[in-house]
Amino acid sequence: MLQSKGRESHWLWKWKFRTTDRHVRFDPDKFGWPWMPETNSWVVPTSFSLLALKQWFPPNGASQANFRIELGVQMLLDRVCPGGGWNAGNGVVYGVHLHHILTLLRLPWLPSLLRH
């Protein structure tokens, strides 16, 4: 689980999202977990991964686990919708502020994951 990461974590994809693909608004340095290998990070698999890691590793335990927890939390904060809550992946696409559908689906653990 600690080695799994979104495709945007690779240097080539970071460059792409910073220079040529400006349709989505997010920081590629802040990545979480994808649904499948070799795809970008998404909110739901990142949330599930954070739940598992926070249950398994103590807050001041393994440094790699804490690093990934922090990155996952940063990714969730980076991709929050402008009006609050979360969409499946990004809060803004093609300049359009997306609605927070995941909050409406009642995923109550999302806000609690942001607390350390």
Side-chain angles (χ1 to χ4, degrees):
M1 179 183 283
L2 294 176
Q3 273 60 41
S4 177
K5 53 189 169 186
R7 180 173 55 186
E8 71 273 22
S9 66
H10 187 275
W11 71 268
L12 183 59
W13 285 92
K14 286 182 184 186
W15 175 82
K16 176 186 179 275
F17 284 122
R18 287 194 179 111
T19 58
T20 60
D21 189 352
R22 305 295 297 157
H23 302 296
V24 294
R25 185 211 58 152
F26 70 87
D27 182 350
D29 285 326
K30 299 172 181 174
F31 55 87
W33 285 263
W35 282 112
M36 296 180 59
E38 305 300 321
T39 62
N40 289 337
S41 303
W42 290 83
V43 171
V44 172
T46 296
S47 300
F48 284 136
S49 297
L50 288 173
L51 280 171
L53 288 174
K54 284 185 168 200
Q55 291 295 313
W56 190 260
F57 293 99
N60 296 321
S63 62
Q64 178 66 13
N66 285 326
F67 174 73
R68 287 307 311 272
I69 289 169
E70 182 61 32
L71 264 178
V73 168
Q74 287 177 16
M75 178 253 176
L76 290 177
L77 290 172
D78 183 59
R79 299 191 190 179
V80 70
C81 293
W86 287 268
N87 196 299
N90 300 301
V92 178
V93 177
Y94 290 103
V96 176
H97 292 208
L98 302 176
H99 299 286
H100 46 89
I101 60 169
L102 295 179
T103 309
L104 296 174
L105 291 174
R106 298 305 215 186
L107 302 179
W109 66 83
L110 280 172
S112 67
L113 288 175
L114 305 179
R115 293 190 286 272
H116 297 305

